[in-house]
């Protein structure tokens, strides 16, 4: 077993901190046994706020990752880190520099600009409202309004995938595949939405369903967790997807983000084949 190595990690942002938090998580996933002691600072926009950050870095030296667009704050933080001899990495600098060179223009340098309440923001809110209203087979008469419709047996992560897609501005609905129950007629009348079937390894499904029933204090002697029934259920769903020529994603070893990324790729390819720029 690999020995756990702990270290101090300072995440400093002048906005919500979502960007550096995601980048840090993605990088740390590549280092088995690394256990960061996180010091998270967001909405750092004044020298007074930066004073507290600097004091914490001095008390607990470690890697500093930041997203600060104010030149004064940036240079001060980098100078302090240089004096202390700790790594100081600006996540956005390489991307901003490349964009500036390509576009021949400088960025605005305004913190939190990516969270401005523009048309894209309201589009995401609309998509989120749609996903919540059309979860688990509700309001099937409005499925034609969707960009994506996910079909799958219980516990194939339909709902969280729809919500993740909604956060990317994609209107996503989901309909459960239940053995013995026909899927709604509205589903087979739509032509605009991309319909994707989700499936999962039966053994993993059984485990997830048993855990859920245990949380709900329900008996575990139903067809819902019976191994033979679950295998039959998954096989029936796969046959149905194949019959209708819907793309199928096996989500057994996929994170929600990975499933959503593949769906976005399918949407993009579909758009290109239809001549949509």
């Amino acid at each position: 077993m690999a020995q756990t190595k702990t270290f101090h990690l300072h995440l400093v942002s002048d906005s919500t901190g979502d960007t550096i938090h995601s980048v840090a998580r993605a990088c740390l996933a590549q280092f088995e046994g690394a256990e960061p002691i996180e010091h998270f600072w967001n909405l750092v926009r004044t020298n007074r706020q930066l004073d507290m950050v600097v004091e914490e870095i001095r008390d607990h030296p470690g890697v500093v990752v930041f997203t600060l667009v104010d030149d004064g704050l940036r240079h001060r933080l980098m100078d302090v880190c240089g004096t202390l001899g700790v790594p100081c990495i600006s996540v956005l600098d390489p991307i901003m520099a490349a964009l500036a060179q390509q576009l021949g223009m400088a960025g605005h340098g305004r913190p939190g600009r990516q969270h401005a309440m523009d048309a894209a923001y309201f589009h995401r809110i609309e998509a989120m409202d749609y996903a919540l209203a059309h979860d688990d087979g509700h309001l099937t008469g409005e499925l034609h309004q969707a960009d994506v419709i996910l079909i799958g047996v219980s516990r194939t992560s339909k709902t969280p995938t729809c919500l993740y897609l909604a956060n990317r501005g994609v209107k996503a609905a989901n309909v459960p595949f239940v053995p013995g129950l026909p899927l709604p007629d509205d589903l087979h009348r739509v032509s605009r939405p991309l319909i994707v079937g989700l499936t999962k390894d039966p053994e993993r499904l059984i485990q997830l369903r048993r855990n859920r029933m245990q949380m709900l204090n329900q008996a575990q002697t139903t067809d819902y967790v019976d191994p033979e029934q679950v295998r039959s259920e998954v096989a029936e769903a796969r046959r149905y997807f194949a019959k209708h020529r819907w793309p199928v994603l096996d989500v057994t070893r996929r994170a929600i983000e990975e499933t959503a990324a593949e769906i976005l790729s399918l949407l993009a390819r579909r758009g290109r084949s239809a001549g949509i720029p």
Side-chain angles (χ1 to χ4, degrees):
M1 182 179 294
Q3 185 177 1
T4 300
K5 184 177 181 61
T6 60
F7 66 101
H8 291 281
L9 175 64
H10 300 268
L11 305 177
V12 188
S13 171
D14 52 19
S15 188
T16 62
D18 290 344
T19 300
I20 51 172
H21 198 268
S22 296
V23 170
R25 293 275 69 74
C27 293
L28 286 168
Q30 305 301 319
F31 296 88
E32 186 176 353
E35 188 65 38
I37 301 171
E38 288 190 7
H39 305 262
F40 181 58
W41 306 86
N42 63 348
L43 300 176
V44 178
R45 299 180 180 179
T46 67
N47 273 300
R48 185 174 180 180
Q49 292 169 324
L50 190 60
D51 287 341
M52 294 184 288
V53 178
V54 168
E55 183 179 351
E56 188 77 5
I57 295 172
R58 284 188 176 131
D59 290 342
H60 304 285
V63 177
V64 178
V65 182
F66 71 90
T67 53
L68 298 173
V69 295
D70 181 274
D71 281 339
L73 296 179
R74 290 162 49 84
H75 289 138
R76 183 183 168 201
L77 179 61
M78 294 173 73
D79 288 344
V80 168
C81 291
T83 301
L84 295 174
V86 298
C88 187
I89 304 103
S90 172
V91 169
L92 300 181
D93 273 6
I95 302 172
M96 293 288 290
L99 288 173
Q101 182 178 4
Q102 180 67 29
L103 298 173
M105 58 193 298
H108 288 281
R110 294 208 292 268
R113 187 173 172 83
Q114 72 270 33
H115 300 291
M117 295 175 67
D118 55 9
Y121 171 83
F122 289 106
H123 186 64
R124 289 195 300 274
I125 295 299
E126 182 183 359
M128 189 66 72
D129 288 340
Y130 183 88
L132 292 171
H134 299 80
D135 182 43
D136 203 32
H138 289 95
L139 300 178
T140 58
E142 298 176 355
L143 288 176
H144 63 281
Q145 300 172 2
D147 299 311
V148 173
I149 302 172
L150 303 183
I151 315 292
V153 300
S154 176
R155 314 311 293 170
T156 49
S157 304
K158 298 185 296 297
T159 297
T161 303
C162 283
L163 294 177
Y164 188 94
L165 288 168
N167 197 45
R168 297 291 298 271
V170 175
K171 283 187 176 181
N174 73 82
V175 178
F177 183 94
V178 182
L181 293 181
L183 289 170
D185 292 336
D186 296 310
L187 177 66
H188 300 292
R189 284 196 286 262
V190 300
S191 57
R192 176 180 175 275
L194 169 69
I195 301 176
V196 179
L198 300 183
T199 188
K200 185 174 284 188
D201 176 70
E203 304 307 318
R204 178 59 178 155
L205 270 179
I206 294 167
Q207 181 184 356
L208 291 172
R209 291 180 179 185
R210 282 178 175 163
N211 290 342
R212 178 162 179 77
M213 294 184 74
Q214 186 174 5
M215 289 175 56
L216 299 174
N217 293 319
Q218 295 180 349
Q220 299 193 21
T221 56
T222 68
D223 288 348
Y224 186 66
V225 292
D226 179 78
E228 185 176 344
Q229 291 294 331
V230 174
R231 294 187 192 99
S232 175
E233 181 181 344
V234 172
E236 183 181 340
R238 279 186 171 276
R239 287 193 296 270
Y240 197 90
F241 300 156
K243 175 184 176 182
H244 292 277
R245 298 183 178 179
W246 295 332
V248 179
L249 297 181
D250 187 332
V251 300
T252 306
R253 295 176 178 81
R254 291 179 190 261
I256 300 299
E257 297 87 346
E258 293 173 320
T259 302
E262 183 61 31
I263 292 169
L264 290 171
S265 179
L266 288 171
L267 267 176
R269 291 200 295 269
R270 190 173 190 245
R272 287 194 295 269
S273 66
I276 300 173

